[in-house]
Structure formats: C-alpha cells, structure tokens
C-alpha cells in the first residue's frame, strides 16, 4: 500500500506564495491535490497524469497554482502564488495507483487510491 508524505504548508500573508510537495512510496499513474476548508466539502485543486504530462486545474486556480513533477519519481509539487484568505484549507495529496487509458476524471476523489494526511495552509490578511 502506497504512503504519501506531504510537506510545505504553513502560515503566510495575502499575496504570498507557497510550494507544497508530496512523495509517494509506490508506483503511481497520476497524482493530485485537493483541499478542504472548515465546514466545507473537499474540493479538487489540481492533478497531473504522468504518461501524458497533462495537467488539470480547478477553474478558479488557473494562473495562480501550478502542479508539476517532483525531482524524484512519483512526487509532485503544487506551487501556489498570490494566495488569498479563501485559499486557507487543509491540502491533501492524492495518488492513483491503478493504470488507466481514458475515461477517468482526475478531478474527483474517487479517481485516486491513496491520500496523504493533509498539510495546513493558512493565509492571513
């Protein structure tokens, strides 16, 4: 069973940047990030498919957030720029360990098999 190790959360000011990192211990075919703010449902942030390097983003985060491959295999970064208070949440890394061709929507939690413990991102005004 794969394990995910996240890092990079913290307390920042409005307009600051943060980079989250996540590494999986096993083979993955895609990785992504979701977030959950207090009192809200978990929502998709971004995902990347390794075989095509295709990336996917929540519309509201396009241009501010960038998902990319990590420096080691089965690792991913999430660069977050121009953060605002509404970005405050626990950010969860997710990994898909099942092979897939098409027909899988990487914007839904059900597409992923393993989850990290979450890292807190707090944006202060």
């Amino acid at each position: 069973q794969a394990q995910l190790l996240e890092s990079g959360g913290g307390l920042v000011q409005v307009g600051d940047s943060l980079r989250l990192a996540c590494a999986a211990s096993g083979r993955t075919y895609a990785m992504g990030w979701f977030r959950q703010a207090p009192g809200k449902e978990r929502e998709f942030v971004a995902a990347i498919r390794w075989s095509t390097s295709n990336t996917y983003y929540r519309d509201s985060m396009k241009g501010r957030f960038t998902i990319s491959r990590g420096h080691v295999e089965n690792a991913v970064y999430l660069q977050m720029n121009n953060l605002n208070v509404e970005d405050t949440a626990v950010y969860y890394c997710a990994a898909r360990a099942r092979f897939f061709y098409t027909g899988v929507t990487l914007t839904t939690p059900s597409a992923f098999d393993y989850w990290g413990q979450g890292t807190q991102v707090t944006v202060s005004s």
Side-chain angles (χ1 to χ4, degrees):
Q1 183 171 347
Q3 292 185 332
L4 304 182
L5 181 61
E6 301 151 329
S7 62
L11 172 64
V12 296
Q13 301 290 318
V14 170
D16 284 351
S17 298
L18 269 180
R19 188 174 75 166
L20 305 182
C22 178
S25 61
R27 174 75 182 271
T28 65
Y29 295 92
M31 293 184 74
W33 292 92
F34 289 73
R35 71 183 186 183
Q36 188 166 18
K40 296 185 177 180
E41 294 187 355
R42 189 170 299 191
E43 64 179 15
F44 170 72
V45 175
I48 184 168
R49 180 175 179 175
W50 299 136
S51 63
T52 61
S53 295
N54 285 347
T55 56
Y56 309 87
Y57 295 93
R58 190 175 190 83
D59 285 345
S60 60
M61 296 161 192
K62 290 180 180 177
R64 292 197 302 127
F65 290 13
T66 302
I67 190 169
S68 61
R69 293 177 179 268
H71 286 92
V72 297
E73 199 170 4
N74 297 310
V76 65
Y77 293 126
L78 181 69
Q79 177 67 41
M80 305 185 293
N81 297 328
N82 193 23
L83 287 162
N84 56 56
V85 174
E86 290 72 34
D87 295 316
T88 296
V90 177
Y91 285 70
Y92 295 92
C93 178
R96 180 176 173 92
R98 291 167 288 159
F99 179 77
F100 65 109
Y101 287 105
T102 60
V104 174
T105 302
L106 292 175
T107 60
T108 60
S110 62
F112 296 91
D113 304 300
Y114 301 108
W115 294 83
Q117 293 299 309
T119 184
Q120 177 70 45
V121 172
T122 302
V123 184
S124 173
S125 59

